[in-house]
Structures are given as structure tokens and as C-alpha cells.
Amino acid sequence: MDTLTHTTLGACLSHALLGKRIGRRALLYGAIVGNIPDLDILANPWLDPLQRLQSHRGLSHSLPVLAAASPPLAFLLKKLDPTTRPIPSTLLTLTLFLILATHALLDACTVYGTLLLAPFSNHRFSWNLIFIIDPIFTLPLLAASILALWPAPLKKIVSLAPKIALLISAFYLLNLHLIKSHIQTRLQHARLTQNLVTLSAPFTAPAFPGPFLWRQIIRAPEGCYIAYASLLDPPSLRITHTLLPFPLALQEQWQHHPAIQRLQWFAQYHGYLSPDPDAPTSPPALIFHDLRFGEIRADPLATPTPENTYAIFRWQFVPRPDGTFELHTFPPTISRRHSFSILWQRLLGQPVL
């Protein structure tokens, strides 16, 4: 999730648990601690692109690691701020752990994937419930954080605002789960009517601008099927899973390469290879498409191909004759604004995707 969401979530949680003891200081400490897990990006200058993918949302987002870090963090806070010393160490430690843990758990509700159990497991948890920027989730937390800064005459309302905002956000996440279940039922019915042959379980996640528009991808022998479903779809709209073809032989040729295996692990095995026609090298350069985050289509009504459909997350993979490789981020050549316009039309129930 975005920094504002983590900041306001940490502030509200801290104020709800510690506000009566240290007042508005709780907001500041919650806002700071709520962003600590994302400090893993400070290591990026010393990491190559592949290592950055593996390290982000890794150990710094692990629940066991965060649990172990909470007691020394509470000890440090008591040393730095005398006003926190009367707070029982157990309460302060628990509060800090909850702030850190909710950061990691909220990130696990997005598509990116979070190593919640590292180093004991390298499984990337991604429950695909919420878009990475969701104003419906964030605005109540932001409003409550601002209210909590209000002067003393409204103290009773102020003390309740963060707690109410936390309840609203939790209720919203529960509703997202129900919405996703409803969307998956519709998409399953559409798949059955098309008699698709697939190789993996469907990957369903909110698309921009979630939570009203959802997107599903399914790995197939000949490529990837993509479908969109909106809560605003008219009953007459027929959802179609559209095939985005990728050369099967190319996937099989490179599937055992260590770098491709690591990229596939990051992509939760929804990555696809296509030749890079603009980079004639020997061996030929490839494009790795991670389709979990969405795609940009030059023409939404044209038959999609790797040449006219660009994954938002994709990399240029350049193997060398000596077995080493280069990996570069590879932004699409089409404006995202063009794609967002199409997604808005699809959100409103128009059959453009």
C-alpha cells in the first residue's frame, strides 16, 4: 500500500491504544513505526534489480521478525521519550507489534506479495483484496488522524475517531472479500461457458480503480487468459476470457534458467516470455511479462498479442553467451493514461475489454 495509508493506519492504531496515556504523541509514534517495514528500500542502491524484487516485503515484513523487533523498539522509545516510561512495557511492545504487523498484513492484501513467515518460508502471501491505492480505505483513517489533532474541548470525539476509523477500514476489507467472492462466481460461470483449458488456478484481483472493477488471469498452454468484471456490469453483458498468446516453446526453453525461476517466483508463476524484436542480440533478448499488475493495450478491440499488449510490470532479460545475464526494467511505450481511460469505460459496464 501507499505511504499515506501506512502512516494513517499506524497513527490511528497507536492513538487508539496509547492516546489516553500520551495524547497526540501517539499519532506521531504510530505514523513513524507504521512505515518502518518499508525501510528495506534503503538497501536498493547496493542491490541489482532481481535482488530488489526479492528483498522488498521480505524480512522487514515478516511477522516473526517484527515480533522479535518490537521489544527492543519499545525499550528504545522509552529511553528517547520519558513520557512513555509509565506505559507498561507489555502494552507498549504489543502496540508497536500491532502497528508493524498491520503494515505487513495490509501489504499481503495487495497483489505484490509479502513474505509474512520469512525466514521460515519463502511463500509470498497475496490475498488480492485491495488495490495498492484505495481512497475508500485510506480516507477514514486520514480524517481520524486529523481529528485526533483537534483541541481539547472535543476530546471525547477525538478519542473515538481513530477507533471508529479502524472499525470502518476493517469492515471495508471484509466487504472486499465478499465482493471478490461474488466476482469470482461470475467469472467462473464465464469460464465454464467458454470451456477453457487452463494450467493454473485463476488469479483474481482488483484493477484500477478498485474495488468496483476486477481482473482475472489464468495460465493456459497457449498463453494467458484475461477477463474483466465490474460491479456495474448490466445483466446482458457477456464476460469473455481473452487469450493473450505466448510462445509455449519459449517458456519451456527458459523455464529452468535460475533468473527466470526467480522472476517466476516473484510473479507467483504468472510471468510469460516473449522475444524482444527491438534487441537483436545473440542469444536473443527476451521480455518477461508479469501480468498480475495489469496490462496496457494499444487497441482494446484488437486481438491482443505481446506486441500490442504491454504488462505494466515487465523486464528485459538479456542472456550472455557465458551464462550470465542483464535485467532491465522495461516500461511500456503506451501512455498509462490511455489505459486508464479504457478501464473507466469497462468499470461503467461497457464491453471494451
Side-chain angles (χ1 to χ4, degrees):
M1 296 294 290
D2 60 283
T3 301
L4 178 61
T5 300
H6 287 310
T7 300
T8 54
L9 178 59
C12 284
L13 190 53
S14 178
H15 192 277
L17 295 173
L18 302 178
K20 288 185 178 180
R21 296 174 181 269
I22 58 174
R24 287 177 284 186
R25 287 173 181 261
L27 293 168
L28 174 63
Y29 295 142
I32 294 173
V33 173
N35 285 284
I36 285 178
D38 281 341
L39 293 180
D40 57 5
I41 64 172
L42 295 178
N44 283 355
W46 294 274
L47 303 176
D48 63 43
L50 199 50
Q51 290 172 329
R52 291 172 192 168
L53 294 177
Q54 292 180 303
S55 66
H56 185 47
R57 295 197 187 180
L59 282 174
S60 68
H61 287 63
S62 165
L63 295 180
V65 172
L66 296 177
S70 298
L73 192 59
F75 176 80
L76 178 63
L77 184 56
K78 283 195 172 191
K79 286 291 185 181
L80 294 175
D81 185 357
T83 63
T84 63
R85 291 172 188 169
I87 302 175
S89 295
T90 303
L91 174 60
L92 185 58
T93 300
L94 178 62
T95 299
L96 296 179
F97 171 69
L98 288 175
I99 295 170
L100 295 170
T102 51
H103 176 121
L105 291 169
L106 183 59
D107 278 349
C109 290
T110 66
V111 172
Y112 193 93
T114 306
L115 296 179
L116 292 178
L117 299 180
F120 306 105
S121 169
N122 69 344
H123 176 71
R124 299 185 68 85
F125 290 85
S126 57
W127 298 313
N128 312 325
L129 289 177
I130 189 169
F131 194 68
I132 192 169
I133 299 175
D134 192 323
I136 300 177
F137 182 87
T138 306
L139 286 177
L141 298 170
L142 177 61
S145 299
I146 295 173
L147 275 176
L149 295 171
W150 217 259
L154 298 177
K155 189 175 181 179
K156 289 186 178 180
I157 299 177
V158 163
S159 64
L160 286 176
K163 298 174 184 177
I164 294 173
L166 291 169
L167 289 174
I168 291 173
S169 295
F171 181 71
Y172 177 61
L173 283 178
L174 174 61
N175 276 274
L176 287 180
H177 175 73
L178 298 176
I179 292 171
K180 181 178 178 179
S181 297
H182 167 70
I183 292 291
Q184 285 178 316
T185 300
R186 291 181 55 203
L187 290 167
Q188 181 182 20
H189 177 73
R191 291 198 310 275
L192 292 175
T193 59
Q194 285 186 257
N195 296 316
L196 304 183
V197 177
T198 60
L199 298 176
S200 67
F203 185 97
T204 310
F208 174 85
F212 302 101
L213 182 63
W214 293 73
R215 176 177 173 272
Q216 184 174 87
I217 57 176
I218 318 174
R219 197 174 192 90
E222 61 273 35
C224 177
Y225 284 105
I226 304 175
Y228 287 84
S230 170
L231 291 178
L232 304 180
D233 285 343
S236 59
L237 184 90
R238 181 174 176 268
I239 296 174
T240 302
H241 286 74
T242 303
L243 177 67
L244 177 57
F246 289 98
L248 179 61
L250 192 63
Q251 319 306 311
E252 294 176 343
Q253 176 186 353
W254 291 95
Q255 64 181 337
H256 298 299
H257 192 285
I260 297 300
Q261 289 180 332
R262 290 161 71 187
L263 283 170
Q264 285 287 19
W265 169 80
F266 170 74
Q268 299 176 52
Y269 302 95
H270 285 289
Y272 303 86
L273 289 169
S274 69
D276 184 356
D278 299 323
T281 59
S282 182
L286 305 171
I287 301 174
F288 184 88
H289 309 252
D290 183 350
L291 287 173
R292 295 173 301 148
F293 300 92
E295 80 282 356
I296 298 175
R297 304 189 189 185
D299 181 356
L301 299 180
T303 301
T305 67
E307 289 71 40
N308 65 19
T309 303
Y310 305 91
I312 292 177
F313 270 42
R314 63 180 187 157
W315 292 267
Q316 183 188 50
F317 175 76
V318 184
R320 300 192 186 101
D322 61 0
T324 59
F325 65 92
E326 296 178 23
L327 189 68
H328 308 282
T329 56
F330 200 37
T333 56
I334 300 176
S335 164
R336 291 191 183 187
R337 184 179 301 177
H338 170 81
S339 180
F340 290 161
S341 173
I342 296 168
L343 289 172
W344 274 110
Q345 295 177 51
R346 182 63 189 87
L347 173 109
L348 298 175
Q350 300 180 30
V352 293
L353 290 172

